Amino acid sequence: MADTFYVTTPIYYVNDKPHIGHAYTSMAADTLARWHRSLGEDVWLLTGTDEHGLKIEQAARASGVTPQQHADRYSQRFRDLWPVLDVAYDDFIRTTEPRHEQVVAAMWERMEAAGDIYLGQYEGWYSVGDEAYFTEDELVDGKAPSGHEVSWVVEPSYFFRLSKYGPALLEHFEKHPEFVRPVTRLNEIKRFVEQGLQDISISRTTFSWGVQAPGTDDHVVYVWLDALTNYISALGGPAGEQYARYWPASVHLIGKDILRFHAVYWPCFLMSAGLPLPRQVFAHGWWTIDGQKMSKTLGNVVDPIDMAQRYGADAFRYFLLREVTFGSDGDFSERALRDRINGDLANGLGNLLNRTLGMLKRYRGGVVPAPGASGAEDEALLAAWGTARADLLSAMDDLAFNKALAAIWTLVGAGDKYVDSTAPWTLAKQGADARLDTVLYNLIETLRVIGVWTLAFLPNKAADVLDRLGVPADLRDVPSTAEWARLPTGGDTTVGDPLFPRLEAPEASEAPAPKKPAKQPKAPKQKQAQQPKPSAKKAEAPADGTIAYDDFAKLQLRVARVVTAERHPDADRLLKLTVDAGEPEHRTVCAGIAEAYAPDDLVGRTVVLLANLAPRKIRGVMSQGMLLAAGDGADIQLATVPGDLPPGTAIS
RNA sequence: GGCUUCGUAGCUCAACUGGUUAGAGCGAGCGGCUCAUAACCGCUAGGUUCGGGGUUCAAGUCCCUGCGAAGCCA
């Protein structure tokens, strides 16, 4: 029987709007699930929504619907999100489902049977206006933070003997130091438990939207006891078949804000109920946005659907898992995202695929050739494969997604180096057919291995890679990459469009991304006027690609006259021109027209210059603008204007 | 206030239980190549490892202290 792997996300609170944090946890969980599935394990991925509690009751009342209607509506938002992000869960649990409520009641009864539940009194500062309790230090000038009056209220409540389980929990930490990850979180929790645990209230009578506590008629089960139980209720509870198969969970993935509930309350509840504890609770960090805390008031909340639509779910996921250590906090910015996409995905993986398939098509008609004898370059490539594989496997065991991806990308780098050192184009010219076959085969196999390894991270793009390579279904799992040269020869491949097109910086002004807003000495009277806010992206192009006139008006097109022209010293396809655009100084412009125009033919011509393009160094030559032209390669035609307009004339 | 982490090249981060010239990616500079998505490959960048003190044959890596940052304390 295959090993089982049961991974959970938290159940998300239905009042929340899905944001980057939810997406992060779930994408990580999905990646882990795909990885273990690829290893051949029997995997179960659970997610869901948390739908009980006073706040839900209040929110529903405020919008004039029943709590259930409210929960239905908002639960659906999460259910709709996951397919967009390729989160393929096996079950979606809702705390308002009967299958869940039954198990909550069963948990209560087990804990009660263990003698761990007793009736007591819950007391604290209660605000009628907020319908909530506050602790002494939460009070502001003796009032609730909202400003409402508070009074000392006592209500009957059932308590759980949490205090009884402190020693057992500490012992569990000793025996299973991997129970809480990362270690710094384990330390925090240990200290907390060592201080001594107090019994906790597990029922309320001040609201009714929840699971009724067994044996009572006006007590509702405390929301955390209710919510945490989802991890077993979704399996059918202690008597369920799925429970027998998957419990205890391999890992609960959570955000660090809910660590205590998962690392203290939940294991104690389980101990009381006589049930095994999950193997691990892994708390990941938070994302800041452009260096700032995410908050509604700042308006910098990152919408995962927006990111998936604009950059692709694969790239978004890649970034989140590659950028920071899982467990630490990280900073999200679109600039960093673009850098990752361009550097790792486009220039790295995408380009390696593109150049390999291009050569295979050109030299071998796209058919996978049979490899021959190995040389030194091949040994280096295979060594890189072996190292990457070992690093990858251990990183995934530790949930070190960033290390795992770094390991995979060392193989991408090794592939590029292999191309460089074997120079297939030279082999082709020399007619070294056997060697060329070997090189091309090894490249294809390298990409197959990379494709398989990245399936868990880039579900769509990696499948695309494997499809283009013509990899059969049985060579798409991780074990199939433990041995080199598994891919059969003779298969057809498809080149296709670039896997990840390069992204250009959307606005030149944003490109250098000044760290501190005010560093250039500016004229004081300008008062730092309109700092271009990255979030002010209202002028996004609509889906059909039409743009507003204002967008067009940003382009400064001018008539220009070619003054000098010469071949670019370092690029076969480029010409280096100087043009007169009606300005005091002539401008230098690089243009990719060397295959269509001889330098001498251009001097004196009238052309169209995009004058306000950000200057850019191209192969060592600073280009201050761009000439408009139609076509490409040898069939390119420069755009021009008839008549005798003077240089500098604006075109609009 | 107590406890726990952390402060390493311009940026983001590595360096297992203390041990050869402190590493990688990005950025920058120089060179190479032309199969490729202005891509790719190579070389270079010489950073008082936050400051100070100590232990040791040897410290980024342990101890003390100052400064700074983050997290936990129901």
Side-chain angles (χ1 to χ4, degrees):
Chain A
M1 202 175 81
D3 288 342
T4 57
F5 188 83
Y6 176 35
V7 52
T8 66
T9 75
I11 46 175
Y12 301 114
Y13 197 52
V14 285
N15 264 12
D16 286 346
K17 182 167 190 226
H19 57 66
I20 189 172
H22 302 111
Y24 185 44
T25 319
S26 290
M27 286 176 142
D30 179 71
T31 298
L32 209 50
R34 287 176 192 268
W35 177 258
H36 282 270
R37 219 167 253 134
S38 187
L39 289 172
E41 295 172 20
D42 177 7
V43 174
W44 197 252
L45 168 56
L46 174 69
T47 190
T49 42
D50 179 12
E51 308 183 2
H52 283 140
L54 175 65
K55 284 185 187 163
I56 307 294
E57 196 177 271
Q58 289 172 331
R61 194 182 306 140
S63 41
V65 297
T66 65
Q68 187 64 56
Q69 287 169 326
H70 180 81
D72 288 349
R73 184 186 306 165
Y74 287 94
S75 176
Q76 193 62 36
R77 293 198 301 197
F78 285 99
R79 213 186 261 272
D80 291 341
L81 173 62
W82 304 136
V84 175
L85 300 179
D86 300 306
V87 172
Y89 54 80
D90 295 295
D91 194 4
F92 190 103
I93 184 80
R94 301 181 54 189
T95 57
T96 54
E97 292 178 85
R99 63 168 175 155
H100 173 74
E101 300 190 343
Q102 285 161 15
V103 177
V104 172
M107 272 297 280
W108 179 287
E109 282 161 358
R110 278 171 167 265
M111 291 157 66
E112 191 168 40
D116 291 334
I117 294 180
Y118 63 91
L119 184 61
Q121 287 181 332
Y122 186 80
E123 46 193 340
W125 293 104
Y126 186 76
S127 156
V128 180
D130 297 296
E131 292 192 51
Y133 281 94
F134 295 95
T135 61
E136 192 76 42
D137 15 304
E138 282 173 330
L139 297 184
V140 180
D141 297 330
K143 295 181 178 179
S146 59
H148 286 120
E149 296 289 338
V150 294
S151 52
W152 189 255
V153 168
V154 176
E155 66 166 298
S157 168
Y158 287 95
F159 280 75
F160 169 68
R161 291 188 204 282
L162 187 68
S163 56
K164 176 175 155 188
Y165 290 95
L169 189 57
L170 287 171
E171 193 186 325
H172 187 75
F173 293 157
E174 286 308 312
K175 279 193 193 154
H176 304 279
E178 75 292 347
F179 181 67
V180 177
R181 279 289 123 102
V183 278
T184 145
R185 299 283 168 238
L186 176 63
N187 292 340
E188 272 176 26
I189 287 296
K190 270 190 190 165
R191 296 295 161 271
F192 177 75
V193 178
E194 280 166 3
Q195 285 170 24
L197 297 174
Q198 294 171 24
D199 294 348
I200 55 166
S201 162
I202 54 166
S203 77
R204 286 298 147 79
T205 54
T206 45
F207 64 95
S208 59
W209 183 237
V211 179
Q212 192 176 46
T216 74
D217 33 57
D218 56 351
H219 284 261
V220 161
V221 176
Y222 171 60
V223 288
W224 273 105
L225 174 55
D226 176 356
L228 288 163
T229 300
N230 90 87
Y231 299 129
I232 58 173
S233 71
L235 301 175
E241 269 177 50
Q242 295 286 79
Y243 176 91
R245 187 166 163 190
Y246 292 113
W247 192 258
S250 307
V251 57
H252 292 314
L253 294 188
I254 60 167
K256 61 184 184 181
D257 55 326
I258 52 176
L259 179 63
R260 190 199 307 151
F261 303 105
H262 284 79
V264 179
Y265 294 5
W266 178 228
C268 291
F269 292 159
L270 287 167
M271 282 193 269
S272 172
L275 302 173
L277 310 192
R279 297 194 200 288
Q280 188 171 81
V281 174
F282 199 113
H284 68 243
W286 284 143
W287 287 95
T288 53
I289 312 298
D290 294 318
Q292 292 185 299
K293 270 199 170 164
M294 185 168 66
S295 80
K296 282 177 195 153
T297 45
L298 281 173
N300 63 352
V301 177
V302 172
D303 176 3
I305 292 182
D306 181 43
M307 287 300 127
Q309 284 171 347
R310 286 167 51 208
Y311 296 101
D314 285 338
F316 183 49
R317 180 189 298 212
Y318 176 83
F319 175 82
L320 295 182
L321 295 180
R322 175 67 186 84
E323 188 72 359
V324 303
T325 302
F326 197 59
S328 305
D329 290 349
D331 184 55
F332 178 89
S333 71
E334 292 197 39
R335 176 171 172 76
L337 172 59
R338 278 198 303 272
D339 285 348
R340 283 286 175 200
I341 291 173
N342 284 343
D344 297 352
L345 300 178
N347 297 349
L349 177 56
N351 185 53
L352 181 62
L353 177 74
N354 194 227
R355 66 197 305 209
T356 298
L357 289 177
M359 288 190 285
L360 188 64
K361 184 178 182 190
R362 178 182 301 209
Y363 303 135
R364 290 295 181 267
V367 177
V368 179
S374 278
E377 294 99 351
D378 313 78
E379 298 301 327
L381 181 65
L382 290 228
W385 158 66
T387 306
R389 183 168 169 276
D391 291 348
L392 170 63
L393 292 174
S394 80
M396 287 306 285
D397 278 347
D398 295 339
L399 274 65
F401 300 112
N402 65 327
K403 282 189 184 170
L405 287 167
I408 297 172
W409 255 255
T410 62
L411 187 54
V412 174
D416 274 327
K417 193 170 297 186
Y418 183 72
V419 173
D420 194 66
S421 61
T422 57
W425 48 94
T426 306
L427 296 174
K429 272 183 209 151
Q430 295 171 341
D433 282 346
R435 183 62 187 145
L436 183 57
D437 282 351
T438 303
V439 168
L440 291 173
Y441 181 86
N442 281 337
L443 281 170
I444 295 292
E445 179 68 345
T446 298
L447 283 161
R448 185 203 133 231
V449 166
I450 293 167
V452 169
W453 287 349
T454 48
L455 269 172
F457 299 90
L458 313 167
N460 299 301
K461 295 294 186 177
D464 190 1
V465 169
L466 297 175
D467 289 345
R468 294 187 197 200
L469 299 175
V471 176
D474 62 326
L475 291 180
R476 293 186 178 210
D477 59 12
V478 174
S480 79
T481 63
E483 191 188 338
W484 192 256
R486 289 287 303 277
L487 186 69
T489 60
D492 277 321
T493 61
T494 316
V495 180
D497 292 330
L499 192 65
F500 293 97
R502 272 187 71 87
L503 304 172
E504 300 305 330
E507 307 225 352
S509 60
E510 196 192 339
K515 247 292 195 262
K516 284 163 187 128
K519 73 174 200 192
Q520 300 99 327
K522 280 193 170 165
K525 55 193 169 207
Q526 282 199 333
K527 277 182 132 182
Q528 308 286 334
Q530 325 91 4
Q531 260 293 327
K533 259 210 156 179
S535 55
K537 55 188 176 223
K538 54 171 177 18
E540 272 313 314
D544 64 357
T546 57
I547 60 170
Y549 173 78
D550 287 350
D551 292 324
F552 170 73
K554 290 176 187 165
L555 304 177
Q556 290 175 17
L557 297 172
R558 285 190 214 154
V559 173
R561 182 158 292 137
V562 178
V563 180
T564 68
E566 59 186 289
R567 306 200 76 89
H568 189 291
D570 260 339
D572 298 343
R573 290 175 192 164
L574 298 180
L575 292 184
K576 178 183 165 192
L577 312 173
T578 50
V579 299
D580 176 2
E583 298 161 317
E585 303 267 333
H586 291 172
R587 291 185 184 224
T588 302
V589 175
C590 293
I593 53 174
E595 292 171 78
Y597 291 91
D600 292 347
D601 295 344
L602 288 172
V603 176
R605 280 209 195 205
T606 303
V607 294
V608 178
L609 173 75
L610 175 57
N612 62 336
L613 185 67
R616 173 157 183 174
K617 193 176 270 191
I618 299 177
R619 287 286 189 132
V621 174
M622 188 58 78
S623 180
Q624 303 159 303
M626 179 175 131
L627 300 188
L628 301 193
D632 58 10
D635 295 325
I636 201 162
Q637 291 278 331
L638 277 171
T640 186
V641 285
D644 216 13
L645 292 166
T649 305
I651 299 171
S652 58

